[in-house]
């Protein structure tokens, strides 16, 4: 028995025949037939001018495996979010070697200033990383490799702290194919914001993020140039949590030793890009 039976009164060359409508209806019937188990009844569509055609689902080949679910021709093949965005964490000896070499180049560009901002402090200046375009380019490459090597999953959003987190956070986001969201001092952002307080040496201050900066469930990486006491990074984390974000880690270029800043960040993974710089 043929799958489709066309009547003599409704052939392809009949007056008033609409090919586009015909094939749209044919596709619809094929989808219905593939989505239902075989039976001896005939499928007819009331919106067709009878008797344009009928279809027997008995003619559709079906597996004898009773456990097999009916075919759904409209179901999409599952693709992981990272596959769809072309972002895959990768780890290899070549990447590790490139990362180590890049870090050495960055360390060589840093400058040290004794007794700044007060006597007894050896200040490490990161601004030369942005002065030379080749070093700046290397910084972007190293940051990208560090995220892919150092974290189990890639972020959906990079959150950068006011103000030097803004220097490299957006570039990281571009390289990783993610969004960037700023954390700013109170009163600097327009629209509805969430607020978190943090302690400074001589009092407290407030950070803010816009309410739509992060969607619930998004994976967030918090970045800044230096971690000292960890208070500002902790405040940024509080803001991310208020917005429903999932913090996958923290990344800093440098760390001031002896201030135990990492303790404020708990067990969440913290990476220092240039250790012992």
């Amino acid at each position: 028995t043929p799958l489709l039976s066309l009547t003599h009164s409704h052939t392809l060359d009949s007056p008033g025949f609409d090919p586009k409508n015909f094939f749209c209806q044919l596709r619809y019937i094929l989808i219905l037939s593939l989505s239902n188990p075989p039976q001896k009844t005939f499928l007819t569509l009331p919106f067709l001018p009878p008797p344009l055609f009928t279809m027997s689902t008995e003619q559709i080949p079906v597996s004898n495996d009773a456990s097999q679910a009916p075919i759904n021709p409209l179901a999409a093949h599952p693709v992981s979010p990272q596959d769809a965005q072309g972002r895959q964490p990768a780890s290899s000896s070549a990447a590790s070697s490139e990362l180590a070499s890049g870090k050495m180049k960055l360390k060589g560009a840093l400058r040290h200033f004794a007794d700044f901002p007060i006597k007894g402090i050896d200040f490490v200046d990161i601004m030369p990383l942005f002065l030379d375009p080749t070093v700046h380019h290397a910084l972007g490459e190293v940051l990208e490799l560090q995220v892919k090597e150092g974290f189990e999953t890639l972020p959906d959003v990079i959150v950068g702290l006011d103000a030097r987190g803004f220097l490299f956070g957006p570039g990281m986001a571009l390289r990783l194919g993610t969004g960037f969201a700023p954390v700013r001092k109170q009163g600097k952002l327009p629209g509805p914001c969430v607020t978190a307080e943090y302690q400074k040496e001589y009092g407290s201050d407030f950070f803010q993020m816009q309410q739509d900066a992060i969607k619930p469930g998004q994976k967030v990486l918090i970045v800044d140039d230096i971690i000292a006491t960890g208070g500002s990074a902790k405040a940024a984390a509080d803001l991310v949590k208020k917005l429903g974000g999932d913090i996958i880690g923290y990344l800093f270029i440098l760390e001031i030793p002896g201030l135990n800043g990492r303790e404020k960040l708990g067990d969440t993974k913290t990476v220092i890009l240039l250790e012992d710089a």
Side-chain angles (χ1 to χ4, degrees):
T1 305
L3 180 63
L4 299 177
S5 299
L6 296 177
T7 66
H8 294 292
S9 60
H10 290 83
T11 59
L12 298 180
D13 57 354
S14 299
F17 175 75
D18 185 351
K20 182 177 180 180
N21 183 53
F22 174 81
F23 287 108
C24 286
Q25 296 176 47
L26 176 60
R27 179 176 178 272
Y28 178 77
I29 287 183
L30 288 173
I31 291 173
L32 286 178
S33 66
L34 291 173
S35 303
N36 291 277
Q39 51 189 356
K40 292 184 179 298
T41 59
F42 284 83
L43 295 175
T44 59
L45 297 181
F47 54 81
L48 295 176
L52 179 58
F53 55 80
T54 58
M55 174 187 294
S56 172
T57 55
E58 188 178 14
Q59 310 305 318
I60 306 299
V62 179
S63 170
N64 293 326
D65 184 1
S67 64
Q68 185 176 10
I71 300 172
N72 181 2
L74 299 180
H77 296 290
V79 179
S80 69
Q82 290 182 358
D83 286 339
Q85 299 177 38
R87 302 185 292 129
Q88 286 291 339
S91 179
S92 66
S93 58
S96 298
S97 176
E98 184 180 354
L99 181 59
S101 174
K103 287 183 178 182
M104 291 299 295
K105 182 174 184 178
L106 297 180
K107 287 182 180 181
L110 298 175
R111 295 186 300 188
H112 292 253
F113 291 90
D115 300 324
F116 182 86
I118 60 175
K119 188 174 180 60
I121 299 295
D122 179 27
F123 185 84
V124 182
D125 184 17
I126 69 167
M127 290 305 167
L129 299 179
F130 306 96
L131 183 62
D132 185 328
T134 59
V135 177
H136 192 181
H137 181 75
L139 174 63
E141 291 182 331
V142 169
L143 287 168
E144 180 184 2
L145 285 171
Q146 183 66 77
V147 173
K148 292 180 176 179
E149 290 274 305
F151 297 93
E152 294 182 358
T153 184
L154 295 179
D156 299 309
V157 181
I158 300 290
V159 167
L161 273 64
D162 193 340
R164 281 180 287 189
F166 301 167
L167 291 175
F168 59 93
M172 288 179 63
L174 282 175
R175 282 182 167 272
L176 295 169
T178 72
F180 175 81
V183 171
R184 298 220 62 190
K185 298 290 181 65
Q186 188 176 35
K188 299 294 185 180
L189 291 170
C193 295
V194 291
T195 305
E197 182 179 6
Y198 68 100
Q199 297 299 316
K200 301 174 68 175
E201 294 180 21
Y202 304 105
S204 61
D205 208 341
F206 297 89
F207 269 158
Q208 288 187 322
M209 290 185 71
Q210 292 172 310
Q211 285 185 359
D212 59 355
I214 295 172
K215 296 179 176 61
Q218 284 190 311
K219 298 184 290 294
V220 176
L221 177 65
I222 297 174
V223 304
D224 201 5
D225 63 329
I226 294 174
I227 178 172
T229 64
S232 58
K234 174 64 168 55
D238 292 341
L239 293 174
V240 170
K241 292 174 183 177
K242 286 183 179 182
L243 296 176
D246 179 18
I247 301 170
I248 65 168
Y250 303 85
L251 189 150
F252 305 94
I253 295 180
L254 299 170
E255 178 181 28
I256 297 179
L259 298 180
N260 303 319
R262 299 194 204 192
E263 293 181 2
K264 283 190 174 69
L265 308 182
D267 296 330
T268 305
K269 183 159 188 177
T270 301
V271 172
I272 310 300
L273 187 70
L274 303 179
E275 298 252 23
D276 304 322

